[in-house]
Amino acid sequence: KAFVYLTDVNQMDDGPYTYVLGTPSERGFKMANQELIRRGQTETDVTIYPSSRVTPVLASRGSLVLSNQNGAHRGWPQGENNQRCILALNFFQA
């Protein structure tokens, strides 16, 4: 996935994209994620990891972010008076 921040995302209250490094190859990640889906959880897979493992992607508007969507990721919730706007592009293997 690729996206461009259309607003500055310089702090957690701006709702940055977040990623848990190493999760695409972690044993049990896929099973934990499937279990959350099976239970109908509205929380994302990032919430099963300690916050110390969550890496925010902070950047100025106009920044391009490329992401491996096979790992634990989410857009962090914005603060009460904050907003995040992005242009997102999804790529699929044909």
Side-chain angles (χ1 to χ4, degrees), residues 3 5-17 56-61 63 76 83-86:
F3 59 90
Y5 282 136
L6 299 178
T7 53
D8 289 331
V9 181
N10 298 318
Q11 60 185 342
M12 293 306 283
D13 275 351
D14 292 332
Y17 172 77
V57 179
L58 304 175
S60 299
R61 71 175 182 245
S63 297
W76 202 258
Q83 64 178 1
R84 173 194 65 234
C85 186
I86 66 167

Side-chain angles (χ1 to χ4, degrees), residues 29-44:
F29 165 70
K30 187 174 182 180
M31 289 187 314
N33 203 26
Q34 289 171 339
E35 181 62 17
L36 286 172
I37 292 167
R38 187 187 69 74
R39 291 182 184 185
Q41 299 282 45
T42 58
E43 294 294 326
T44 68

Side-chain angles (χ1 to χ4, degrees), residues 17-78:
Y17 172 77
T18 59
Y19 194 84
V20 181
L21 297 174
T23 52
S25 59
E26 264 187 24
R27 293 180 64 174
F29 165 70
K30 187 174 182 180
M31 289 187 314
N33 203 26
Q34 289 171 339
E35 181 62 17
L36 286 172
I37 292 167
R38 187 187 69 74
R39 291 182 184 185
Q41 299 282 45
T42 58
E43 294 294 326
T44 68
D45 47 22
V46 170
T47 61
I48 65 176
Y49 291 93
S51 61
S52 61
R53 291 202 50 202
V54 177
T55 302
V57 179
L58 304 175
S60 299
R61 71 175 182 245
S63 297
L64 172 67
V65 178
L66 300 175
S67 174
N68 175 354
Q69 300 290 284
N70 291 326
H73 65 281
R74 78 180 285 196
W76 202 258
Q78 293 89 16

